[in-house]
Amino acid sequence: MIERRQEIDALHGLLKRHPVVGIIGARQVGKTTLARFFVKEARQKSSYFDLESPEDIARLADPMLVLKDLTGLVVIDEVQRLPDLFQVLRVLVDRPRSPLRFLVLGSASPNLLRQSSETLAGRIVYHQLNGFAFDEIGAEKQKRLWLRGGFPRAYLARTNSQSHEWLRGFIRTFLERDLPQLGITIRSTTLQRFWTMLAHYHGQIWNSSEFGRSFGVADTTVRNYLDLLTSALVIRQLQPWHENISKRQVKAPKIYITASGVLHTLLNLRSMADLEGHPKVGASWEGFLLQQVIRRLQAFPEECYFWATHGGAELDLFVLRGRRRYGFEFKRTTSPRVTPSMRSALSDLKLNRLDVIHAGENTFPLSEKIRAVSWQRLLVDVQPLK
């Protein structure tokens, strides 16, 4: 088992400060395993309810009766199956000197997030769980993580073929079973075709009109599909940053398939040789490293943007923390160099630093405030934000 120390430590801290902590993430990303490991390590009195178990659903037929006399930590898995539970949790945690803390697990959906935020406002905080990352698997296995993605069963499969087989099954089950359970009623064949088309747009700026014409539906329809998959945490929409300058700037988001293994399966890339020979290899590498950098920085989604002008200047990742501004470019090359676009971003965005993440082995300065950072040294040369 791969120990997810950063995630465990984050949960310890959140449960000390909040009565209810929610772990959200795509299906099969490891939420249940993380929760069970956390309970084992915490060594405190705990109760566990899995709402995919008929027995536990029956136990919670009258949730107030069952939960009110418990103490310690209560874990409720697949909480989206009983959204009315949030009203009960509010009553329980609002009791004077409440002896309870709740850890709730669920796949995100618009209804789940809306109901929980309305009912438990000021009482719940969410922790998003993604797949495995560099700090969890070791530097020598980075290519394997890139090809297979961070879903535990895909990454830990014995062979690339078995990993690809599991990912194909995951995509099918996600579309045919998981999305309907989240209240999404669009036909699975329609969403699979849409998701596959998104894979070919991975790393590009969203254009509703162009995508709608390609897909054969209205702009509003494809935008709705995009938002649904984003809510289900399988798509990342990286929002554009607007600076007060005279240049015309891009206002549409960039689109990424969240898990690199899912991207490669949608593109039918089964091996590293397939990936390296595909036109989307650069975009795949960019999306994969972008997610690793965001995790390493411990940056929140609302701190992360991209920046582009209609004149051609752009920055793959712009991170804003307080008054500090950081830029990142992702170049799949062993000999990165400073470009006019980088100088424009450095000047227009008033960056404190710009890092060029590259495929070589060494980290070295390129010019003042710009350095080349090896993807193999990401954990050493890029530090979490303060």
Side-chain angles (χ1 to χ4, degrees), residues 63-79:
M64 181 63 76
L65 179 66
V66 174
L67 298 176
K68 67 178 182 179
D69 293 327
L70 297 178
T71 59
L73 177 67
V74 176
V75 182
I76 303 176
D77 201 349
E78 299 296 339
V79 69

Side-chain angles (χ1 to χ4, degrees), residues 189-206:
T189 52
T190 300
L191 278 180
Q192 170 136 19
R193 190 160 64 94
F194 178 74
W195 204 2
T196 302
M197 289 184 68
L198 278 180
H200 291 275
Y201 277 75
H202 177 86
Q204 295 185 34
I205 295 170
W206 174 254

Side-chain angles (χ1 to χ4, degrees), residues 247-248 250 307-315 329 339-342 344:
K247 300 174 182 177
R248 291 179 60 226
V250 172
W307 177 75
T309 71
H310 288 278
E314 63 177 327
L315 186 67
E329 279 284 299
T339 65
S341 179
M342 293 179 194
S344 180

